[in-house]
Amino acid sequence: MSKVAKARYAAAAVPGFTHRTAMEEAARCLLCHDAPCSAACPAGTDPGRFIRSIRFRNPKGAAETVRENNVIGGSCAWVCPYDNFCEEACSRCGIDRPIEIGRLQRYVVEQEQVQKMKILKPPAKKKGVKVACVGAGPASLACAAELAKAGYAVTIFEAEEKAGGVLTYGITPARLPQGVVDQDVAAIRGLGVRFALHTRVGADISLDALREQGFAAFFLGAGLWKAQLPDIEGTDLAGVYAASGFLKTARESRGRTGLAGKRAVVVGGGDVAMDCATTAKLTGAAHVAVYYRRTLEEAPANMREIQYALSLGISIVTNFAPVRCVGADGKLQYVEFKGRDGNSSAQVAADAAVFAIGQAPQDMRQLADLSLTEKGTVKTRSGGKTNLPDVFAAGDVANGGKTVVEAVAEGKKAAAAICKRLDALHEGRGK
Amino acid sequence: MALRKDLSIDYLGVKCENPFFLSSSPVGGNYDMVAKSYEAGWAGVFFKTVGIFVADECSPRFDNNGKEGLPWVGFKNMEQISDKPTELNFEYMARLKRDYPDKVLVSTIMGSDEDEWKQLAKMSEQAGADLIEGNFSCPQMTSHAMGSDVGSSPDLVKRYCEAVTSVTKLPFIAKMTPNITNMNIPARAAVQGGAKGISAINTIKSITHIDPEHMTAMPVVDGKSSISGYSGAAIRPIALRFAAQLAQDEELKGVELSGIGGIETWRDALEFLLLGCRNLQVTTAIMQYGYRIVEDLISGLSHFMDERGYGRVEELLGRALPNIIPAEELNRDFRILPAFDYRKCVGCGRCYVSCFDGAHQAIDWDEKKRRPVLNDNCVGCHLCLNVCPVQACVTPGELRFKEGRQQGPVTMKTQYE
């Protein structure tokens, strides 16, 4: 008989390490000469270095390595798909199984907080030049931190009430507690970065107005927040949600999704779909099923997330695509699916249907006259350069939706490109 | 950004950027090795011992001793002093001093008679060494006129120290062997002979394993083996004991100590500093992990000093010495009962097993709940705390005074890692 895990909404999905268990795990590390884990981290977090510090009883030094290399190292420790990056590269795989790098990073970031460390400080040398970052998600946070370290006066403009973007509003808290995101944001504030919350650039304030205020460059890390619903009948019924709105509401209401004892259907096969399903389950839904139009092998979701969903008793049905949502009195009653084989069909009773069928950016032309791709993402070249010389973009809004760690890497690269441009302008002025 | 304290400290009048040095051993035997170690952050080197005697080494020459899946708890080494020509070694040293003038170069030497000691001392001075160390302690020399056979004879130690100090003004350090009951006797002899510093400890004579396949010790050299020096984490407690005894010796007051023996982490380093060693030497951990370990030695010690408000390494020296007292002077009026945190307990019963079989049958085992229950037999030995696998599950709890004893304030350790 399968034993289904029971958990509260926002209860950590994986327990953390203690000093002792962290040391036991660090003692398994082979302390490679040219650590392949470090080479495999897009954000340059340097796990080889911080694990060595744990091994040599220096957790504070380990915390410095993480925070200095990856300013949102706390959040990454929780949500990074390690098995595709550092843990896959781990030399220990040649012996038995990789070091649990993600969990060790989580321990290190916990130590930063327990020991009340303030690792990042504003640089002594200021440039006296203002840069604006639009959106307070991973790419923006990473970019802002690098710019602040270089001496720029950075303001992050965020439409929502809290900073963090997808970290705060798009991931179930069992996988990423808000406290971890807040700790990352506090580290960035510690660099002197300012946050203008509740301020949607393009609506509340225009890019031109910011230019007039003296902002010399702009970074767009606006993410993918357009509510995406399929073009089928019945999506206007009460109980039909787009994934981004569903996850955001769940987090903002601390898990009061109103699904207690009810049936939920999630449509999609990515990490977001798994997050929606686990959120539905953890907030009390009696029955949750994920429907995906292709096979499990084709599903973009990380296997760990799929396994986590299964462990909670969520079923996953493959090769079924939604045809229509059917309801009565404006309320959803069931979702109808058609099989990929052309023969099967299903009518699945549901109080809620959540569509996690890919993400898209909001209309970026409201912001500026940007060149966009067909999907609406911002067209960029190396370093996040756009068609506008003072505007740079990276993260999901440019790459169409990749991992948090890749957004950090791109944000850092964009910061370097912004520094290069501003330095060149500054030199030109000096001449 | 990453915290770095000023860890500089004077050692025998020489300014060292930190107390961390390579010891005279395989880790510092040529130019390239020492140069790389300097770049990594080591403040100085005790260059691999140079003699007129040039060693002829065996193969293989190392073994290690582990416990429960953890190798290298202890390490056995059969290498003797340098196997390179005497002149070449001094050439390396001269180049190192020229290219790295701010790093500290200690020439470690070993002669087989007074003339050799004098000659080597003069060559050290000419090479530009800042200090000279006399190796009286290598336990695996093929000549009995050298090494630990000399170091356990106070007369020879004194005579050779006099030989060296008669020909050089450079401060001289005598490196002691632990293969002796009382190290203070040869240490005093060295000081009488003019030594200004004592290094301790060199390796401990050992057999790590007997190989049942070849019926000899490890490593197997053409079917045979020899007793030779043991080092690494396993010997740190023994090294600390010798360091404390040297530091507490009134006759050795003012003699500067260099601590050696199983230093891997900043915590190990701190322990030697707290016993009064103002210089620290490392080999085995470097052989296992590389020069890079100095990064965490520097960072970890910096964080500790920052956390506790110490400005200089100097302030740490000997802080633990007043509290290391003879057994007969300990307060024996009380016992501290262990406290069990049942929320943390995982029910392995190891405390029960150890308490019954190795202590005082003071823990009953609740078979239904599978949890330990303390009974009245407890003497407060804390074997349970030592054996418990869960962090902070068994901790020091209630303080009880023995009947009829004076009650008073008792300092209790409560935090265990």
Side-chain angles (χ1 to χ4, degrees):
Chain A
M1 203 184 95
S2 65
K3 200 172 159 196
V4 164
K6 302 274 183 214
R8 282 178 298 113
Y9 181 66
V14 180
F17 280 130
T18 64
H19 287 308
R20 260 191 217 183
T21 52
M23 179 60 89
E24 281 171 17
E25 189 60 14
R28 289 182 64 242
C29 175
L30 305 178
L31 302 173
C32 300
H33 161 54
D34 51 351
C37 54
S38 293
C41 177
T45 311
D46 203 354
R49 182 73 193 85
F50 78 70
I51 296 171
R52 177 145 55 88
S53 288
I54 299 172
R55 168 67 185 78
F56 291 105
R57 302 183 70 173
N58 182 19
K60 285 187 165 181
E64 288 173 336
T65 298
V66 172
R67 189 60 77 191
E68 284 173 6
N69 291 323
N70 180 352
V71 76
I72 60 162
S75 298
C76 276
W78 283 75
V79 299
C80 193
Y82 292 95
D83 38 357
N84 297 337
F85 296 112
C86 54
E87 291 185 8
E88 185 181 47
C90 178
S91 301
R92 180 98 204 188
C93 294
I95 299 174
D96 47 13
R97 60 188 194 284
I99 308 305
E100 288 189 62
I101 298 173
R103 243 170 119 199
L104 283 175
Q105 184 171 326
R106 181 174 146 190
Y107 160 77
V108 164
V109 176
E110 281 165 6
Q111 286 306 304
E112 178 193 42
Q113 190 168 45
V114 171
Q115 309 273 359
K116 300 189 175 65
M117 294 176 74
K118 289 213 172 8
I119 296 166
L120 301 180
K121 296 181 184 83
K125 260 178 91 177
K126 303 275 196 314
K127 300 225 182 203
V129 178
K130 296 204 287 185
V131 181
C133 294
V134 178
S140 256
L141 293 172
C143 179
E146 291 305 308
L147 291 169
K149 285 183 200 168
Y152 291 98
V154 186
T155 304
I156 294 180
F157 293 88
E158 166 60 48
E160 300 295 337
E161 180 197 347
K162 282 181 80 76
V166 72
L167 306 174
T168 294
Y169 294 107
I171 295 171
T172 193
R175 287 216 300 132
L176 177 56
Q178 189 61 43
V180 175
V181 182
D182 293 346
Q183 189 185 340
D184 285 347
V185 170
I188 293 158
R189 282 183 199 276
L191 279 167
V193 172
R194 293 163 64 172
F195 286 80
L197 301 171
H198 282 306
T199 310
R200 186 179 291 278
V201 179
D204 298 325
I205 188 162
S206 72
L207 222 55
D208 278 336
L210 291 173
R211 283 190 182 106
E212 274 169 35
Q213 287 180 21
F215 285 94
F218 299 89
F219 174 80
L220 307 184
L224 304 171
W225 291 99
K226 189 179 166 192
Q228 288 274 83
L229 289 169
D231 189 17
I232 57 172
E233 189 185 313
T235 55
D236 56 339
L237 290 164
V240 177
Y241 305 93
S244 55
F246 176 73
L247 290 171
K248 184 162 174 269
T249 308
R251 282 201 82 141
E252 285 174 330
S253 66
R254 291 172 191 270
R256 280 186 282 278
T257 52
L259 289 176
K262 297 194 170 162
R263 304 174 70 93
V265 162
V266 176
V267 180
D271 287 335
V272 177
M274 297 307 144
D275 263 353
C276 290
T278 55
T279 295
K281 186 73 184 171
L282 294 172
T283 58
H287 186 262
V288 181
V290 176
Y291 281 78
Y292 178 51
R293 64 198 165 112
R294 298 196 179 105
T295 64
L296 214 50
E297 283 164 282
E298 292 164 282
N302 186 276
M303 190 47 84
R304 272 193 205 176
E305 305 311 327
I306 293 173
Q307 281 166 346
Y308 177 51
L310 289 171
S311 77
L312 295 174
I314 292 163
S315 49
I316 299 175
V317 183
T318 56
N319 292 314
F320 274 90
V323 179
R324 58 185 181 133
C325 297
V326 182
D329 303 328
K331 271 190 71 183
L332 178 71
Q333 282 188 316
Y334 65 89
V335 185
E336 192 176 312
F337 292 92
K338 198 162 173 47
R340 202 182 187 182
D341 57 10
N343 194 29
S344 320
S345 64
Q347 290 186 346
V348 183
D351 302 295
V354 183
F355 288 92
I357 52 166
Q359 303 153 280
Q362 289 166 332
D363 185 3
M364 297 308 290
R365 284 227 173 76
Q366 281 190 352
L367 243 153
D369 191 18
L370 289 159
S371 294
L372 304 180
T373 65
E374 281 170 25
K375 289 178 178 172
T377 56
V378 180
K379 267 191 192 168
T380 55
R381 289 169 288 130
S382 68
K385 294 186 199 87
T386 69
N387 59 311
L388 303 175
D390 63 344
V391 180
F392 298 75
D396 285 358
V397 78
N399 68 29
K402 286 188 180 172
T403 60
V404 171
V405 72
E406 284 161 302
V408 172
E410 291 173 15
K412 282 170 85 170
K413 278 185 194 145
I418 292 169
C419 286
K420 201 173 158 195
R421 173 182 156 79
L422 293 179
D423 283 348
L425 281 180
H426 198 70
E427 271 172 34
R429 218 181 288 155
K431 273 173 196 167
Chain B
M1 308 301 146
L3 179 80
R4 287 287 177 276
K5 294 281 273 194
D6 175 5
L7 300 181
S8 65
I9 187 162
D10 278 6
Y11 173 51
L12 293 167
V14 180
K15 188 179 163 71
C16 309
E17 65 181 80
N18 61 51
F20 308 121
F21 280 51
L22 313 184
S23 40
S24 175
S25 75
V27 300
N30 64 36
Y31 179 90
D32 290 342
M33 294 178 88
V34 176
K36 185 182 171 192
S37 79
Y38 285 166
E39 304 283 349
W42 295 89
V45 61
F46 289 74
F47 200 89
K48 179 156 173 132
T49 307
V50 183
I52 304 300
F53 169 94
V54 176
D56 181 18
E57 299 295 2
C58 64
S59 167
R61 60 189 82 153
F62 302 133
D63 188 37
N64 84 79
N65 192 30
K67 190 176 185 316
E68 289 146 3
L70 196 66
W72 282 77
V73 172
F75 179 71
K76 187 193 183 203
N77 171 12
M78 297 184 54
E79 256 189 44
Q80 309 170 78
I81 65 174
S82 177
D83 60 355
K84 294 180 183 60
T86 312
E87 291 74 18
L88 179 61
N89 281 314
F90 286 114
E91 224 177 277
Y92 285 144
M93 284 191 237
R95 271 175 62 203
L96 284 164
K97 196 63 214 177
R98 185 194 68 203
D99 296 349
Y100 298 92
D102 296 335
K103 298 285 183 176
V104 181
L105 178 75
V106 189
S107 169
T108 300
I109 57 174
M110 183 191 285
S112 64
D113 59 33
E114 280 162 300
D115 285 343
E116 282 189 11
W117 280 100
K118 283 182 186 171
Q119 190 186 344
L120 291 163
K122 283 182 203 158
M123 291 173 90
S124 303
E125 200 172 313
Q126 280 159 14
D130 298 292
L131 302 165
I132 303 175
E133 182 188 62
N135 182 340
F136 296 109
S137 41
C138 178
Q140 56 253 14
M141 294 301 292
T142 52
S143 156
H144 296 284
M146 290 182 279
S148 60
D149 289 343
V150 174
S152 44
S153 158
D155 290 343
L156 281 176
V157 170
K158 186 181 172 196
R159 214 193 309 154
Y160 292 154
C161 286
E162 282 168 349
V164 170
T165 53
S166 71
V167 297
T168 179
K169 289 261 178 310
L170 292 180
F172 184 59
I173 306 144
K175 184 171 181 178
M176 296 287 112
T177 175
N179 300 298
I180 189 167
T181 313
N182 187 345
M183 186 183 286
N184 295 36
I185 296 167
R188 288 174 201 149
V191 172
Q192 283 159 17
K196 295 280 182 280
I198 299 289
S199 299
I201 60 176
N202 206 320
T203 55
I204 300 173
K205 286 186 186 183
S206 70
I207 291 176
T208 39
H209 294 287
I210 295 294
D211 177 28
E213 192 185 346
H214 296 98
M215 293 297 171
T216 184
M218 289 290 287
V220 178
V221 181
D222 188 20
K224 311 278 187 232
S225 195
S226 300
I227 287 168
S228 77
Y230 194 51
S231 63
I235 72 154
R236 187 172 43 84
I238 297 161
L240 289 170
R241 162 246 166 164
F242 279 118
Q245 287 180 324
L246 292 170
Q248 288 181 331
D249 188 337
E250 284 297 323
E251 289 184 43
L252 294 175
K253 248 202 160 111
V255 175
E256 298 197 357
L257 299 179
S258 179
I260 319 170
I263 296 173
E264 292 187 357
T265 72
W266 67 271
R267 275 290 297 269
D268 307 330
L270 175 68
E271 292 174 9
F272 282 92
L273 293 169
L274 295 175
L275 290 179
C277 299
R278 59 170 54 236
N279 179 268
L280 305 168
Q281 302 184 36
V282 182
T283 281
T284 310
I286 295 172
M287 292 182 80
Q288 189 180 6
Y289 300 114
Y291 300 124
R292 56 191 174 161
I293 63 167
V294 76
E295 294 163 19
D296 284 301
L297 286 170
I298 292 169
S299 164
L301 189 60
S302 294
H303 279 297
F304 173 79
M305 289 171 57
D306 184 62
E307 196 179 298
R308 305 297 172 97
Y310 290 105
R312 317 266 323 160
V313 175
E314 193 91 33
E315 294 167 29
L316 298 166
L317 298 185
R319 288 229 164 206
L321 288 170
N323 301 321
I324 295 168
I325 59 173
E328 62 270 27
E329 291 174 22
L330 285 175
N331 179 355
R332 291 166 189 272
D333 293 337
F334 62 89
R335 58 196 166 120
I336 299 166
L337 305 185
F340 298 89
D341 186 338
Y342 291 116
R343 289 163 305 172
K344 290 188 175 136
C345 178
V346 295
C348 69
R350 289 282 299 274
C351 56
Y352 167 76
V353 172
S354 286
C355 184
F356 197 102
D357 299 2
H360 298 85
Q361 303 78 51
I363 296 174
D364 297 323
W365 187 245
D366 181 333
E367 286 181 11
K368 267 204 180 131
K369 292 184 187 157
R370 301 190 60 255
R371 289 294 180 274
V373 182
L374 199 68
N375 65 36
D376 291 339
N377 288 344
C378 182
V379 299
C381 70
H382 293 190
L383 180 61
C384 50
L385 186 157
N386 280 277
V387 82
C388 178
V390 180
Q391 190 175 340
C393 174
V394 185
T395 51
E398 189 192 339
L399 175 75
R400 281 199 197 160
F401 285 90
K402 293 178 185 167
E403 236 176 69
R405 300 291 180 89
Q406 184 75 38
Q407 300 199 5
V410 170
T411 305
M412 243 167 91
K413 180 173 173 63
T414 53
Q415 299 292 318
Y416 286 83
E417 277 177 21

